[in-house]
């Protein structure tokens, strides 16, 4: 795909005021961020374009160049001109850095950062939603450097480090940092920069306190002065030890949720300038893009791994291998895909027990094939049998029964399992277990469910093959007896052969 073709077409349509072309360029649900304004959907983007040229009829894009291109992302720098060049009345209206992400031949997100030229600051072209505070060439250059890293898909840690350094230098902070909210209601310092090369506790986590929790829920920037600095908030004591007096915090929003905060702090008593939040926000947008891109790449890797695992098992099923070979492969694939420490397949027995038909472990300890357990006590197998659907168990503490005891012996902390349904009947369960404290991801049940369908197919195929063999054996036995009868064999011989064939057919003693 020629990534540059889409931004070029979008810029050309802007100059020609052919905004309906944007419906072919932008995704229907495109996310467009332009100097602090967030637009969602192609209709909103077109409306913004129409309003821009309505208020500034002579505004157009004079030139564009590629700053960076990588994978599905392209960074361009465009030069804006106001007025009519044919009449000699045009003037530069600044430049803009744009980060466009492409999927399926459409732009799905675009982030635009505008810089007015120094000569134009007093008589600037007014475009809807342009940031009112003037920005400097240094800011544009810093944003462009970070945008290039984002477009190149470098590791998040490298982007975070660059953001803290660039933002700190730009706003004349003594320290800058990025904090990430965790699912367990803690906050982690993921990156930090100090003008004095101070040793900052990157990687440390603290519980989220009330002040920070309210800021997370509100999703708005905030400031702390020396007078109102809360002493119980995370990392405040470390900041005070460095002589920090004032803070500015700007939220980092990813997919509609507050992922974390970017903080700038100073040892000076005087507050930061009024526009510092807006300047930091340019970098938080880039952080959000880097996180979203990384999550998208991780999701694609997960899908690829899942499809590869399913394909390998499906090949075994298609080759009509014995069910035991399929069971062994399935438990291994489920264990590796889900990041489990142990995976197993259990078959329900008529007497209320279940039997381990296959097991995999990342270490030497695992459940032995053929082991039978009573499932009246706490277990994934018991709850799946009761509900007929997927279940999770977060703890085996205090539980009795063979499976719970075995789980504790193996160090299992939590498990997730899905039913195996064969010909409309509950046949068994596939379960994954972990020794970690953190639970399995939310999509684990759906991953396991895909394998249960393949297992059911393998079992049905095996039962069908068994039934065909029994029919063939039956027909062969009848044919042998019929041949004797047709030949007029003595009754005693016919009776003896019939008894032998019936015994062989039904496996009788």
């Amino acid at each position: 795909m020629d990534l540059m073709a889409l931004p070029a077409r979008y810029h050309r349509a802007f100059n020609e005021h052919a905004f309906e072309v944007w419906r072919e360029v932008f995704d229907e649900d495109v996310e467009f961020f332009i100097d602090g304004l967030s637009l969602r959907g192609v209709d909103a983007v077109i409306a913004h374009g129409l309003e821009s040229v309505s208020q500034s009829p002579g505004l157009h894009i004079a030139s564009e160049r590629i700053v960076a291109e990588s994978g599905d992302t392209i960074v361009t720098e465009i030069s804006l001109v106001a007025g009519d060049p044919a009449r000699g009345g045009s003037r530069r209206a600044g430049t803009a850095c744009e980060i466009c992400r492409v999927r399926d031949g459409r732009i799905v997100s675009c982030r635009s950062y505008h810089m007015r030229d120094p000569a134009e600051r007093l008589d600037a072209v007014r475009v809807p939603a342009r940031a009112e505070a003037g920005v400097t060439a240094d800011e544009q250059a810093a944003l462009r450097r970070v945008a290039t890293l984002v477009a190149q898909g470098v590791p998040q840690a490298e982007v975070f480090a660059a953001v803290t350094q660039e933002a700190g230098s730009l706003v004349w902070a003594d320290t800058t940092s990025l904090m990430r909210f965790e699912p367990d209601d803690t906050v982690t310092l993921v990156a930090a920069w100090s003008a004095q090369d101070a040793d900052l506790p990157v990687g440390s986590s603290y519980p989220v306190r009330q002040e920070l929790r309210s800021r997370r829920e509100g999703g708005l920037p905030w400031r702390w002065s020396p007078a109102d600095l809360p002493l119980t908030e995370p990392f405040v004591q470390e900041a005070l030890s460095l002589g920090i007096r004032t803070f500015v915090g700007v939220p980092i929003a990813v997919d509609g949720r507050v992922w974390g905060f970017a903080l700038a702090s100073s040892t000076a008593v005087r507050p930061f300038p009024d526009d510092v939040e807006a300047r930091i926000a340019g970098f938080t947008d880039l952080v959000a893009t880097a996180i979203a891109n990384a999550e998208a790449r991780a999701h694609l890797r997960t899908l690829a791994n899942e499809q590869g695992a399913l394909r390998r098992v499906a090949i075994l099923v298609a080759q009509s291998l014995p069910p035991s070979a399929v069971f062994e492969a399935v438990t291994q694939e489920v264990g590796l895909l889900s990041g489990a420490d142990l995976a197993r397949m259990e078959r329900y027995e008529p007497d209320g027990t279940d039997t381990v038909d296959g097991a995999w472990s990342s270490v030497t300890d695992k459940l032995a094939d053929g082991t039978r357990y009573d499932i009246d006590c706490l277990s994934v197998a018991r709850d799946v049998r009761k509900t007929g659907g997927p279940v999770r168990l977060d703890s085996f503490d205090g539980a009795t029964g063979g499976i719970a005891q075995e789980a504790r012996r193996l160090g299992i902390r939590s498990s997730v399992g899905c039913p195996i349904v064969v010909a409309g009947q509950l046949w068994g369960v596939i379960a994954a277990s972990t020794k970690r404290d953190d639970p399995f991801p939310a999509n684990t049940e759906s991953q396991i469910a895909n394998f249960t369908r393949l297992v059911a197919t393998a079992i049905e195929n095996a039962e069908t093959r068994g039934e065909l063999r029994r029919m063939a054996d039956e027909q062969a036995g009848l044919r042998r007896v019929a041949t004797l009868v047709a030949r007029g064999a003595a009754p005693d011989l016919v009776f003896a052969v019939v008894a032998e064939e019936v015994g062989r057919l039904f496996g009788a003693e």
Side-chain angles (χ1 to χ4, degrees), residues 304-436:
N305 292 337
E306 182 177 344
Q307 293 304 310
L310 289 169
R311 186 167 55 250
R312 288 189 291 271
V313 174
I315 290 173
L316 298 181
V317 174
Q319 291 174 340
S320 299
L321 293 180
S324 59
V326 176
F327 297 167
E328 182 180 353
V330 164
T331 54
Q332 179 177 344
E333 295 288 4
V334 166
L336 294 173
L337 186 64
S338 64
D341 294 298
L342 177 72
R344 63 195 180 280
M345 184 180 305
E346 300 172 33
R347 169 170 43 88
Y348 294 125
E349 304 290 357
D351 61 359
T353 62
D354 74 350
T355 301
V356 177
D357 268 349
W360 171 90
S361 174
S362 61
V363 293
T364 54
D365 285 341
K366 69 174 185 179
L367 300 178
D369 290 358
T371 304
R372 182 171 289 198
Y373 290 100
D374 188 338
I375 58 173
D376 287 339
C377 299
L378 180 67
S379 68
V380 167
R382 182 198 69 176
D383 291 355
V384 166
R385 191 166 195 172
K386 283 183 177 180
T387 65
V391 299
R392 287 186 176 223
L393 289 180
D394 294 328
S395 174
F396 289 93
D397 293 342
T400 60
I403 294 180
Q405 293 174 2
E406 187 73 359
R408 286 196 296 270
R409 182 186 72 81
L410 296 173
I412 298 301
R413 305 298 298 272
S414 62
S415 297
V416 58
C418 290
I420 302 170
V421 178
V422 178
Q425 300 296 317
L426 186 60
W427 184 91
V429 60
I430 298 178
S433 302
T434 180
K435 300 179 181 180
R436 301 186 305 273

Side-chain angles (χ1 to χ4, degrees), residues 146-169:
V146 176
T148 300
L149 296 178
V150 173
Q152 291 173 343
V154 302
Q156 285 188 15
E158 188 174 339
V159 174
F160 296 166
V163 164
T164 55
Q165 181 177 350
E166 296 283 7
S169 301

